[in-house]
Amino acid sequence: MAQVKVAISPNIYEWILQTAPLEGIDDKKISQFHKWKNNEKQPTFNQIEDFSKKTRIPLGYFFLQTPPVEQLPLLNYRTIKSTAKTNPSRELIDIYYHMTAIQDWMRDYLLDSGNDKLSFVGSCKNEKKVENITKSIRKTINLNMDWFTKTRDQSDSFNFLRQCFENAGILIMKNGVVGQNSHRPLDIYEFRAFTLLDEFAPLVFINNKDSTSGQLFSLLHEIAHIWLGLHSFYNDSYGMTFNISPLETICNAVAAELLVPQQIFINKWDDTNLSVEENTEKLAKFFKCGKTIIIRKALDNKFITNEQYQVFANDIIAGFWQRKTKNKKNEGDYYKTIMSRYSPRFILALANSFQEGKTFFKVVHKLTGTKREIFNKFVNEVRERYNGQ
């Protein structure tokens, strides 16, 4: 029986070329797509269905006459109301729905297990004072003011804080690509982090394409949103001092205070013997944070002028992007890479549910993108690291 041919609007072909993640699709299929686009051949329904799966574009979109306008509710919470990207990328769309699927599963699991709501979610909803919000966060996770003196570097600080918030019930996810697909990197120009609020399973996602210091600051910025009870889509540019809403100003200040406590900062800043550059370098190493936070603190305390701040901030930002274009992160050990991407609480909950027969492996695969053998080894690695918690 002859296969049914389908007609696709030229507008849809053009839209797919602009938005679809064609990287990773074999050359034969891409060549086939261009023949469809150039009207050299007409695709069958089965071919379109296969291409839909490969590109993650919903099948129904192929049969529209005009390109769809895809909206994410999350974009309503953008830090900066930029018009540079009016539509979300396919990567952002997919990572968002992946995270919402994980959060939905985790919420159902916690409810089924009889867990209570997390009291700290939205506990500072009407709070305007930064010191009160930071005090509440420190108390909840039992964080000393000088916690950073116990960590080795920025990466160690991130992992330490991540575990503190995981222990409190927050899912911390981190990735630089969609799922396990290295051909689909996330764009740091599009977003740095986002938060999906929930009273049982709040979730923070960190863009791993950011610098280590950027990820550290983004984590705490998003944590502030959880205490304030508000979703977040963090697309702030480095060193920006304008176009920031009062809400984001508070979240930035909370993050900065948790990283660089005001009381300790004032005592450590040396006005007499060191230059601004030397002070910044020294204190960034002491607090295990980025230099932009130090010079911002110096500006807020009027240790430097706004003009000095702009010069130093621009130099630091330019240096970051130069290093970013020259160096590609080496992901290293495969299992450690996967472990860094997923919340250990989520992985252990998923493993327990699967072993108890409450969750099919089809769901496990959908949520983690791993095969059974890899998932089992992954779970053992997580249990070993977190002592079976």
Side-chain angles (χ1 to χ4, degrees):
M1 188 173 74
Q3 291 184 313
V4 178
K5 302 283 187 177
V6 293
I8 306 296
S9 167
N11 293 329
I12 298 300
Y13 282 128
E14 289 293 340
W15 175 78
I16 290 171
L17 277 178
Q18 295 174 17
T19 62
L22 298 181
E23 299 86 351
I25 298 177
D26 63 71
D27 293 339
K28 184 178 179 180
K29 289 190 181 297
I30 292 178
S31 176
Q32 185 183 60
F33 171 82
H34 283 288
K35 288 179 180 179
W36 299 339
K37 178 180 178 296
N38 297 330
N39 207 28
E40 296 175 23
K41 284 189 175 182
Q42 199 171 24
T44 67
F45 180 85
N46 288 343
Q47 287 174 324
I48 290 297
E49 187 176 36
D50 180 62
F51 199 76
S52 168
K53 292 176 181 177
K54 290 288 191 302
T55 57
R56 278 90 169 175
I57 293 177
L59 181 61
Y61 285 7
F62 287 84
F63 302 102
L64 298 174
Q65 291 303 305
T66 57
V69 177
E70 296 182 291
Q71 296 291 338
L72 285 184
L74 192 64
L75 294 185
N76 294 327
Y77 303 95
R78 287 176 297 176
T79 306
I80 305 298
K81 304 297 182 182
S82 171
T83 57
K85 283 186 175 289
T86 54
N87 293 318
S89 68
R90 175 59 48 189
E91 284 69 32
L92 173 57
I93 291 170
D94 287 352
I95 203 71
Y96 167 76
Y97 285 115
H98 185 193
M99 292 304 109
T100 56
I102 286 174
Q103 185 181 58
D104 289 345
W105 184 92
M106 191 68 179
R107 183 197 302 111
D108 291 343
Y109 173 83
L110 292 170
L111 285 168
D112 187 59
S113 302
N115 289 65
D116 295 326
K117 294 179 180 179
L118 298 174
S119 60
F120 57 80
V121 177
S123 61
C124 294
K125 189 171 184 178
N126 299 313
E127 184 59 68
K128 304 297 182 184
K129 292 185 178 180
V130 171
E131 57 268 31
N132 290 343
I133 301 171
T134 53
K135 183 179 179 181
S136 176
I137 294 172
R138 286 183 180 129
K139 182 178 179 181
T140 299
I141 64 172
N142 195 27
L143 186 71
N144 293 328
M145 187 176 291
D146 63 348
W147 62 271
F148 46 83
T149 60
K150 306 296 191 299
T151 62
R152 297 184 301 275
D153 51 28
Q154 293 177 14
S155 181
D156 194 33
S157 288
F158 181 92
N159 291 333
F160 170 77
L161 289 173
R162 181 182 191 175
Q163 189 56 43
C164 287
F165 292 120
E166 284 277 347
N167 291 341
I170 301 171
L171 305 179
I172 311 295
M173 314 292 284
K174 183 167 78 111
N175 208 338
V177 299
V178 178
Q180 316 299 338
N181 192 342
S182 60
H183 295 287
R184 303 188 63 198
L186 302 178
D187 186 359
I188 190 61
Y189 286 101
E190 185 172 27
F191 78 102
R192 296 173 67 182
F194 61 77
T195 293
L196 303 177
L197 206 66
D198 186 84
E199 292 179 308
F200 290 91
L203 184 150
V204 171
F205 181 87
I206 304 292
N207 189 340
N208 198 40
K209 292 298 181 182
D210 204 350
S211 66
T212 304
S213 61
Q215 293 177 39
L216 184 57
F217 188 83
S218 293
L219 172 61
L220 293 175
H221 176 99
E222 298 304 288
I223 290 299
H225 272 276
I226 291 175
W227 257 255
L228 291 168
L230 295 164
H231 298 282
S232 169
F233 182 71
Y234 192 33
N235 65 331
D236 190 2
S237 298
Y238 289 90
M240 184 168 283
T241 58
F242 58 90
N243 199 25
I244 304 294
S245 69
L247 168 64
E248 297 305 322
T249 299
I250 291 174
C251 291
N252 285 343
V254 169
E257 179 61 23
L258 290 169
L259 285 172
V260 184
Q262 173 76 354
Q263 179 183 332
I264 301 176
F265 175 79
I266 292 175
N267 292 334
K268 289 290 182 180
W269 185 269
D270 190 340
D271 280 327
T272 56
N273 300 317
L274 300 179
S275 66
V276 174
E277 295 95 329
E278 291 170 329
N279 260 317
T280 302
E281 186 78 31
K282 181 190 75 170
L283 294 187
K285 290 180 179 179
F286 176 76
F287 288 105
K288 319 293 193 319
C289 69
K291 294 179 184 178
T292 51
I293 299 171
I294 300 299
I295 59 171
R296 179 68 204 195
K297 277 277 188 176
L299 175 66
D300 292 341
N301 283 283
K302 299 183 179 179
F303 294 156
I304 61 174
T305 65
N306 189 62
E307 290 74 17
Q308 286 177 305
Y309 171 79
Q310 291 298 338
V311 170
F312 291 126
N314 290 338
D315 287 345
I316 293 168
I317 295 163
F320 164 71
W321 289 116
Q322 287 175 2
R323 292 190 299 274
K324 200 71 176 172
T325 54
K326 289 180 180 179
N327 302 322
K328 290 187 177 180
K329 288 186 178 179
N330 181 5
E331 296 288 0
D333 182 86
Y334 177 67
Y335 296 102
K336 288 183 179 178
T337 297
I338 299 179
M339 214 164 9
S340 71
R341 291 173 174 172
Y342 291 95
S343 156
R345 287 186 68 252
F346 162 68
I347 290 299
L348 295 177
L350 190 60
N352 290 338
S353 183
F354 171 64
Q355 290 169 356
E356 292 171 0
K358 296 179 179 179
T359 298
F360 294 116
F361 193 79
K362 182 178 180 180
V363 175
V364 174
H365 174 71
K366 180 182 178 181
L367 296 178
T368 65
T370 59
K371 295 181 180 179
R372 191 183 298 256
E373 181 182 350
I374 293 175
F375 180 73
N376 289 339
K377 184 172 181 179
F378 176 27
V379 170
N380 291 334
E381 292 271 0
V382 174
R383 282 178 175 157
E384 184 177 344
R385 175 171 292 192
Y386 295 101
N387 299 317
Q389 293 179 11

